[in-house]
């Protein structure tokens, strides 16, 4: 009975969104995107699309999303939004980070990406434009992937902080006490595999078109680069996402090496009380600000 009620609610929600969507103006980018997508299908094999397409989406998205945070360090006005203002970025650290990223991307992640084609073939996942899900279905799927990845990340990330294994694996990621966007995937190769597994679980659960692979890559990179940016910028659209953790939440983890273990949302840390030090820190900040105003 409960299952039928849930299905009815989901169907009603789907119909409601579809009804609202019918009143929205046509997306002017849809036709050019359709033409580009069909051109890709006509000129490249599924293996090329799944492998090299996924690599290009990852690399281009990653470094483009890093650009704002990288530019902020040269803009004096933006320094008031930097969370750890006493720890500016240095060229030496950024260059070291970049070299490690290239190694991880091409020697750890690329072999995993090479399995994308075989994954889509095994599960018979379509590539055709006609079978591409609507935008609101894609958004819901990406949110579902984020919820699953967040749960995996919380428990495995917390495990990696265990005193018996921390110095062997996760300590690499914590080399930078004050994080910056490009450092999001700066990690020990084993950590890349361990925490990266959470990314693929949602794909297995939700994937009904190859576009979800790329949409979820972009969403996940957007989130992880934002929380590692080191800047708490106002009017950040990601803060509209319910229970979104954000840069200040994760920056505290890098400052103190404890608590705030989740990747995207705050609920797991709230449930297990691993955000208690962060809450106390925020309260202390508020009191100091009130004193300064007086």
């Amino acid at each position: 009975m409960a299952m039928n009620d849930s299905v009815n609610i989901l169907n009603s929600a789907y119909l409601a969104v579809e009804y609202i969507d019918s009143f929205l103006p046509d997306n002017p980018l849809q036709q050019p995107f359709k033409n580009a997508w069909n051109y890709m299908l006509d000129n490249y094999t599924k293996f090329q699309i799944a492998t090299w397409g996924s690599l290009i989406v990852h690399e281009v998205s990653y470094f483009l999303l890093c650009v704002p945070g990288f530019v902020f360090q040269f803009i004096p006005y933006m320094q008031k939004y930097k969370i750890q203002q006493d720890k500016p970025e240095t060229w030496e650290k950024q260059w070291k980070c970049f070299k490690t990223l290239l190694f991880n991307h091409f020697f750890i992640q690329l072999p995993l990406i090479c399995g994308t084609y075989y994954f889509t073939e095994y599960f018979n996942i379509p590539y055709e434009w006609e079978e591409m899900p609507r935008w609101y279905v894609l958004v819901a799927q990406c949110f579902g992937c984020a919820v699953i990845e967040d749960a995996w990340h919380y428990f495995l990330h917390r495990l990696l902080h265990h005193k018996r294994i921390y110095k062997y694996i996760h300590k690499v990621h914590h080399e930078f006490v004050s994080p910056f966007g490009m450092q999001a995937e700066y990690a020990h190769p084993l950590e890349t595999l361990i925490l990266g597994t959470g990314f693929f679980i949602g794909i297995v659960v939700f994937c009904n078109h190859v576009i979800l692979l790329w949409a979820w890559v972009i969403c996940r990179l957007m989130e992880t680069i934002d929380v590692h940016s080191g800047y708490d910028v106002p009017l950040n659209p990601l803060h509209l996402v319910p229970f979104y953790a954000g840069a200040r939440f994760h920056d505290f983890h890098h400052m103190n090496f404890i608590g705030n273990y989740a990747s995207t949302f705050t609920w797991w840390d709230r449930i297990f009380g691993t955000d208690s030090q962060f809450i106390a820190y925020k309260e202390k900040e508020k009191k100091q600000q009130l004193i300064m105003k007086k």
Side-chain angles (χ1 to χ4, degrees):
M1 189 69 163
M3 180 65 74
N4 289 333
D5 289 341
S6 298
V7 170
N8 290 333
I9 291 170
L10 288 173
N11 286 336
S12 298
Y14 180 84
L15 290 171
V17 174
E18 202 170 44
Y19 178 73
I20 294 170
D21 183 57
S22 66
F23 288 98
L24 296 176
D26 291 337
N27 184 353
L29 298 176
Q30 183 172 339
Q31 191 59 44
F33 180 57
K34 179 181 179 180
N35 294 338
W37 189 271
N38 286 329
Y39 177 87
M40 178 183 70
L41 293 178
D42 292 338
N43 291 275
Y44 299 96
T45 66
K46 285 185 176 181
F47 179 82
Q48 290 172 322
I49 293 169
T51 305
W52 304 115
S54 298
L55 178 66
I56 291 169
V57 168
H58 180 271
E59 295 305 301
V60 171
S61 300
Y62 191 89
F63 289 106
L64 277 180
L65 290 167
C66 286
V67 168
F70 179 78
V71 172
F72 287 167
Q73 66 184 307
F74 305 111
I75 304 175
Y77 176 79
M78 295 304 298
Q79 296 313 300
K80 65 181 179 180
Y81 300 122
K82 183 168 173 57
I83 300 166
Q84 298 186 55
Q85 297 186 8
D86 59 330
K87 297 183 179 68
E89 297 92 340
T90 66
W91 285 107
E92 181 184 2
K93 289 181 178 179
Q94 290 176 98
W95 177 241
K96 182 180 181 181
C97 178
F98 180 71
K99 290 188 292 184
T100 302
L101 278 178
L102 291 182
F103 175 83
N104 283 349
H105 285 185
F106 290 97
F107 291 96
I108 307 297
Q109 295 182 11
L110 180 56
L112 296 175
I113 290 172
C114 287
T116 304
Y117 166 75
Y118 302 101
F119 167 80
T120 59
E121 286 296 294
Y122 182 81
F123 287 100
N124 197 29
I125 293 170
Y127 289 63
E128 290 72 24
W129 173 266
E130 291 72 23
E131 297 189 57
M132 190 180 294
R134 300 294 295 274
W135 65 269
Y136 45 85
V137 175
L138 205 56
V139 169
Q141 289 174 325
C142 285
F143 184 79
C145 287
V147 171
I148 292 171
E149 190 280 333
D150 186 67
W152 176 272
H153 191 100
Y154 176 84
F155 293 104
L156 272 295
H157 181 196
R158 190 172 176 179
L159 178 64
L160 288 175
H161 272 271
H162 192 282
K163 60 183 179 180
R164 292 188 178 181
I165 59 175
Y166 171 78
K167 63 181 179 180
Y168 299 111
I169 303 175
H170 193 51
K171 186 178 180 180
V172 173
H173 183 67
H174 276 281
E175 188 175 326
F176 303 110
V177 177
S178 178
F180 47 91
M182 191 168 57
Q183 188 238 338
E185 291 186 345
Y186 180 90
H188 190 286
L190 275 177
E191 179 174 338
T192 300
L193 294 173
I194 293 168
L195 295 185
T197 300
F199 172 89
F200 295 101
I201 298 174
I203 292 295
V204 173
V205 174
F206 294 109
C207 196
N208 58 353
H209 195 279
V210 72
I211 192 67
L212 177 63
L213 291 166
W214 296 352
W216 172 222
V217 164
I218 294 169
C219 288
R220 178 69 179 114
L221 290 180
M222 191 183 302
E223 176 275 324
T224 191
I225 290 169
D226 176 60
V227 301
H228 285 92
S229 68
Y231 290 84
D232 187 16
V233 181
L235 303 179
N236 184 338
L238 288 175
H239 291 164
L240 297 174
V241 178
F243 301 101
Y244 180 67
R248 190 168 290 276
F249 186 86
H250 192 69
D251 208 281
F252 181 84
H253 175 78
H254 275 266
M255 275 193 285
N256 298 276
F257 307 99
I258 191 169
N260 295 10
Y261 296 111
S263 60
T264 306
F265 305 107
T266 57
W267 50 60
W268 288 113
D269 285 286
R270 288 185 183 180
I271 291 170
F272 291 99
T274 46
D275 64 346
S276 57
Q277 291 189 30
F278 176 65
I279 292 171
Y281 173 76
K282 285 203 302 181
E283 289 298 320
K284 186 178 178 181
E285 265 194 338
K286 285 180 181 178
K287 288 178 182 178
Q288 288 176 340
Q289 289 172 357
L290 288 172
I291 292 170
M292 288 176 67
K293 285 180 179 180
K294 289 179 181 178

